[in-house]
Amino acid sequence: MSYIISTAYLAVLISAVFVILRWSNVRCCGQTPVGTFTFVALLFTAGLDMGLVMLPLTEFPVYAADEAYRFTNPLAVEFGMWGPLVWMMYFLSAFYFVVLEPRLQIFEIAIVKWVYNLTVIATCAFTCYLFLTALPSYIGDVPASALWAIVLCVIAVSVYSSGSVNFMKWLAVSSTWMFVALAVVAVPAAAYYSGGVGAGSVASNLGLLSDYFANLHRFVSPITAYHEFYLFWWFSWSIMIGQFVSMFVGGLRTWRLAGAMILLPSIPLAVWFAVLYIYFERQITIPGWLNWFMVTVGIVFVVNSLDSLIRLYGLNLGWTKTRLGPAYYPLHFFLQLGLVMAYQFTPFRIEWVGVVVIGIYAAVYALMLRRRALVRAAVTEARGTAGNLVPVGSR
């Protein structure tokens, strides 16, 4: 499995670099272009879930104790698990769906379409399952019935949100600002409960992240079994997140799209991890009110992830609100609930989904090689229409 994930990850990263260098000036415009801030907010909230908010505090001690990670500091390892290399996969698939897929139509081939959308459905449910299993460690011991009630509410709100693109965009922007507020509030809270903590502490921790870039090559292949799990998890997300956000690209050139999808999300990630690292370093106990603030933001992130994926596979398979009417809501609700229960009560694992997604990548690469002329035509067409596109800017 390690060989499979290492080879696939390296191939995707090389492809992303090729696209940035070879087709840097191609303009990319989606079906529903939005401003850059809204676009990044949609990407940031769709491509992340509750784990971003809560997992680092449980993972820092693991990275500090494990000999395999001793080549750098725990903060750099955490950033490597979520950082720029991961977002390069999202960028590559977004570029493909904006520029190449309209001409190649590979994801309209019946077998590719169904297998791919089954992975979307399965990954969507895994996000909710991970939320279910991780929630007790954040809010303490609660009855199983209460946990399932929260999960049912999250699925219900996500299905509702998926049926309204305006509500989805509003929720994405709102949760982004909530995340920023959380990071800002956490610093003075640390200062209050520990003393001697301020912006200088965050800046000092940000400096530790330079070690991630010095050891970038180590993150291309699995460092441990846990890192391997992360890589399969991100692979299972990579195509679907790229397709989802491709709809909202606002006429950016390829190199600017790369910046918006790789660099811009990495900045708030770096700041947030640097803030949480203060709590780890100084052994500060998260106060109850801040913990609930974190849980609230995390829940909203889960909803953002679920609604984008539900909307995506619904559009792909024609299971839309327009087509199904009132049946739209129970269909998606019970489909997600059933798969969450499958993760909970069967040996089903996200790594299996990641392997299937890698197989989809292999099929796409093979078909692109056979349809090289169409690839060239798609890029030429995108360049030819560039003059007719008006960048959305900050609309």
Side-chain angles (χ1 to χ4, degrees), residues 5 9 47 49 86 89-90 93 115-127 228-242 309 312 343 348-361:
I5 193 67
Y9 197 34
D49 57 22
V86 174
M89 293 196 293
Y90 297 166
S93 58
V115 171
Y116 164 59
N117 283 286
L118 288 175
T119 67
V120 179
I121 296 170
T123 304
C124 185
F126 179 77
T127 298
E228 183 174 285
F229 156 76
Y230 258 105
L231 292 180
F232 276 114
W233 186 14
W234 296 138
F235 252 100
S236 69
W237 280 76
S238 59
I239 299 179
M240 61 192 74
I241 295 300
L309 298 184
L312 180 65
Y343 278 112
F348 193 44
R349 298 169 57 195
I350 192 62
E351 288 90 335
W352 302 354
V353 180
V355 169
V356 174
V357 171
I358 290 173
I360 295 173
Y361 270 100

Side-chain angles (χ1 to χ4, degrees), residues 123-142:
T123 304
C124 185
F126 179 77
T127 298
C128 196
Y129 162 74
L130 195 64
F131 168 71
L132 170 67
T133 57
L135 194 58
S137 63
Y138 308 145
I139 62 176
D141 294 331
V142 293

Side-chain angles (χ1 to χ4, degrees), residues 75-302:
L75 178 57
V77 175
E78 188 69 43
F79 187 63
M81 295 289 187
W82 300 76
L85 293 183
V86 174
W87 299 89
M88 287 180 73
M89 293 196 293
Y90 297 166
F91 157 73
L92 181 67
S93 58
F95 177 88
Y96 171 84
F97 279 103
V98 171
V99 176
L100 302 180
E101 174 63 12
R103 178 72 72 130
L104 297 179
Q105 297 288 293
I106 292 175
F107 284 82
E108 293 302 316
I109 299 172
I111 183 64
V112 176
K113 181 176 183 176
W114 276 99
V115 171
Y116 164 59
N117 283 286
L118 288 175
T119 67
V120 179
I121 296 170
T123 304
C124 185
F126 179 77
T127 298
C128 196
Y129 162 74
L130 195 64
F131 168 71
L132 170 67
T133 57
L135 194 58
S137 63
Y138 308 145
I139 62 176
D141 294 331
V142 293
S145 58
L147 287 177
W148 279 102
I150 295 173
V151 168
L152 292 176
C153 290
V154 166
I155 295 175
V157 174
S158 301
V159 172
Y160 171 79
S161 179
S162 69
S164 172
V165 68
N166 289 329
F167 181 78
M168 183 186 298
K169 288 190 286 187
W170 173 84
L171 191 63
V173 172
S174 299
S175 57
T176 300
W177 282 115
M178 288 175 66
F179 179 76
V180 172
L182 176 61
V184 171
V185 168
V187 175
Y192 177 80
Y193 288 98
S194 176
V197 175
S201 300
V202 178
S204 176
N205 286 346
L206 287 173
L208 294 176
L209 293 177
S210 62
D211 216 32
Y212 161 73
F213 298 99
N215 293 280
L216 195 63
H217 59 286
R218 295 179 181 269
F219 293 91
V220 174
S221 59
I223 302 169
T224 62
Y226 189 61
H227 184 214
E228 183 174 285
F229 156 76
Y230 258 105
L231 292 180
F232 276 114
W233 186 14
W234 296 138
F235 252 100
S236 69
W237 280 76
S238 59
I239 299 179
M240 61 192 74
I241 295 300
Q243 184 189 13
F244 172 72
V245 299
S246 70
M247 295 184 284
F248 305 104
V249 179
L252 301 174
R253 294 187 185 274
T254 301
W255 68 271
R256 294 189 64 186
L257 178 63
M261 295 192 67
I262 300 170
L263 298 180
L264 294 186
S266 298
I267 295 171
L269 281 176
V271 173
W272 175 240
F273 293 155
V275 170
L276 286 185
Y277 200 61
I278 296 172
Y279 286 80
F280 166 69
E281 283 183 308
R282 306 198 177 206
Q283 297 297 297
I284 305 172
T285 300
I286 299 288
W289 64 268
L290 181 57
N291 186 69
W292 277 106
F293 190 5
M294 294 169 69
V295 169
T296 301
V297 175
I299 289 175
V300 177
F301 266 69
V302 173

Side-chain angles (χ1 to χ4, degrees), residues 1-36:
M1 293 283 278
S2 294
Y3 176 78
I4 293 174
I5 193 67
S6 298
T7 303
Y9 197 34
L10 184 60
V12 169
L13 296 179
I14 291 174
S15 300
V17 173
F18 171 84
V19 167
I20 295 170
L21 297 178
R22 183 68 177 84
W23 297 323
S24 60
N25 287 318
V26 172
R27 279 200 185 274
C28 307
C29 191
Q31 302 169 2
T32 312
V34 298
T36 301

